[in-house]
Amino acid sequence: MKKVVLVTGANSGIGLALCERLLSQDVQLQLCLACRNMQRAEAARQALLVSHPQAQVTLLHLDVGNMRSVLSAAEEFKQKYNRLDYLYLNAGIMPNPRVDHKAFYKGLFSSNVVRMFATGEGLLTQEDKVTPNGLQEVFATNLFGHFLLVRELEPLLCQMDHNSLVIWTSSSNAQRSAFSLDDIQHQKGREPYSSSKYASDLLSLALNRHYNNRGLYASVICPGLVMTNLTYGILPSFFWTLIMPIMWLIRIFTNTFTLSPYNGAEALFWLFMQKPESLDPMAKYHSLTSGLGNNYTQPHKMDIDENVSEALYVKLLEFEDTVRKKLRDEDVDIKAKN
């Protein structure tokens, strides 16, 4: 049976690099690129077909930050496929990132320079906004939209004849200090990206608890420090030009500076080669690159609590009910006006 793989955020960066590596490993798989910008998605599809002319690559329009789009995309996918083996939850945003320049320059010439670049802890803040669905944009895009997608695709993910794997692209910036159960949308804070990524770590554990007996497993990866559009948006382009030689030099001494999307996709690709049931639900699988440029994957125990994980899962189920009701009410209003 041909494997079916769905990748969100697949038109560039780590997502596209992953798709290239997956097809190089198994050109027979059925690959679906789920993207918000369909023009870019088609360009990515054509690029993949140049390298793999016989590959089966389809497109799915998905704005993971828009719940109507999530529901529509899930329905379309279920009409096209009768199974789903791997669901890569890779799409994510870091809107309007701001750098604490004082902390940056202080860290640049300190012994913590590697950790500063690797995690961004205490360095980055973002300006969030509210979506048309009434949710915080980062929470909706990086976490809740993906959660709703998993829920909608349950019939394809939970099948008795095979195990499936849901894989979250997390971050070294996933900090416990940025997350609060009392504010899971991070409405009151200034680090929504870090909060959303830590929440995805928690949610992965909860999904394993609730779905393993139905054949669905979940894992989390960290791509390391990768130079993507998201990364380049943090600082002015001229600054990256100045510090890139320093970063390449630092990579000789640290394995977390993966730098290229191909290297950053290492853990995502490695998980494709594993049996879902063999993976550690408490581990985050890190993409690492040695000073000589060799890629490998290494698990690290996550700093998460099972009770907090379960509490978040329950809150997300409540959010799901609220969002679905709101969408139904909007549909009723539209019909009434017509």
Side-chain angles (χ1 to χ4, degrees):
M1 185 69 69
K2 295 180 180 179
K3 294 178 180 178
V4 178
V5 181
L6 174 61
V7 183
T8 71
N11 64 307
S12 64
I14 295 171
L16 181 56
L18 167 67
C19 292
E20 175 65 37
R21 296 187 68 170
L22 291 176
L23 291 175
S24 295
Q25 175 64 31
D26 182 5
V27 75
Q28 296 299 316
L29 64 80
Q30 299 181 65
L31 178 63
C32 181
L33 316 184
C35 306
R36 179 175 55 182
N37 187 315
M38 295 307 287
Q39 184 175 358
R40 293 179 180 177
E42 178 59 30
R45 177 177 176 273
Q46 291 301 324
L48 292 171
L49 291 177
V50 168
S51 303
H52 311 280
Q54 305 304 316
Q56 300 178 60
V57 184
T58 61
L59 302 180
L60 182 69
H61 182 242
L62 170 63
D63 178 355
V64 77
N66 183 309
M67 298 312 115
R68 282 193 182 279
S69 176
V70 173
L71 296 176
S72 176
E75 187 59 34
E76 180 181 341
F77 189 85
K78 286 186 286 187
Q79 291 176 2
K80 290 182 178 179
Y81 300 95
N82 58 12
R83 63 183 284 148
L84 179 55
D85 297 271
Y86 295 87
L87 173 56
Y88 285 95
L89 305 177
N90 174 70
I93 59 171
M94 184 192 290
N96 303 312
R98 300 286 181 87
V99 176
D100 184 332
H101 290 93
K102 183 178 180 180
F104 175 79
Y105 288 116
K106 182 179 180 181
L108 188 61
F109 300 101
S110 74
S111 59
N112 294 322
V113 60
V114 174
R115 178 174 177 79
M116 180 186 72
F117 277 114
T119 68
E121 185 177 2
L123 190 64
L124 297 176
T125 62
Q126 302 91 42
E127 291 184 8
D128 208 352
K129 63 181 181 180
V130 178
T131 71
N133 299 128
L135 303 174
Q136 294 298 123
E137 185 180 30
V138 176
F139 166 81
T141 305
N142 294 1
L143 183 76
F144 184 70
H146 280 139
F147 172 72
L148 186 60
L149 183 63
V150 172
R151 296 275 292 162
E152 283 293 301
L153 294 178
E154 273 186 29
L156 305 188
L157 289 165
C158 301
Q159 297 184 352
M160 298 304 297
D161 61 338
H162 73 282
N163 290 333
S164 61
L165 184 60
V166 172
I167 304 167
W168 297 83
T169 298
S170 183
S171 170
S172 55
N173 190 238
Q175 303 294 331
R176 179 195 282 260
S177 59
F179 177 80
S180 171
L181 271 176
D182 296 325
D183 183 21
I184 64 173
Q185 294 198 62
H186 206 73
Q187 294 170 307
K188 302 174 183 177
R190 299 186 63 200
E191 297 180 90
Y193 181 81
S194 179
S195 174
S196 69
K197 291 303 181 180
Y198 186 78
S200 70
D201 296 353
L202 291 167
L203 183 53
S204 177
L205 180 61
L207 291 176
N208 279 306
R209 185 183 305 110
H210 288 274
Y211 286 95
N212 280 178
N213 62 353
R214 298 173 60 188
L216 187 158
Y217 293 81
S219 281
V220 184
I221 75 100
C222 174
L225 178 62
V226 182
M227 304 311 297
T228 64
N229 292 335
L230 188 150
T231 314
Y232 282 117
I234 297 173
L235 292 167
S237 58
F238 77 88
F239 200 87
W240 286 117
T241 302
L242 291 175
I243 68 172
M244 278 306 294
I246 299 175
M247 296 177 70
W248 282 100
L249 179 63
I250 292 175
R251 202 183 84 169
I252 298 175
F253 306 100
T254 179
N255 53 14
T256 58
F257 280 36
T258 49
L259 297 184
S260 76
Y262 181 93
N263 295 347
E266 177 67 21
L268 293 168
F269 176 68
W270 182 85
L271 286 172
F272 179 74
M273 307 295 292
Q274 312 306 310
K275 294 181 178 180
E277 62 273 18
S278 69
L279 300 169
D280 182 357
M282 289 294 293
K284 179 181 291 187
Y285 292 89
H286 288 245
S287 296
L288 301 171
T289 303
S290 71
L292 297 176
N294 298 316
N295 296 319
Y296 60 103
T297 298
Q298 192 173 83
H300 293 274
K301 184 177 177 61
M302 292 189 288
D303 178 25
I304 55 177
D305 179 88
E306 291 192 18
N307 292 328
V308 176
S309 168
E310 182 63 21
L312 173 63
Y313 181 77
V314 172
K315 281 181 175 287
L316 290 176
L317 290 177
E318 294 171 353
F319 262 99
E320 179 185 349
D321 290 340
T322 301
V323 169
R324 288 183 186 275
K325 182 179 184 303
K326 182 178 180 180
L327 293 177
R328 287 195 299 267
D329 290 345
E330 289 176 356
D331 290 339
V332 171
D333 290 342
I334 292 173
K335 290 181 180 179
K337 291 178 180 178
N338 294 333

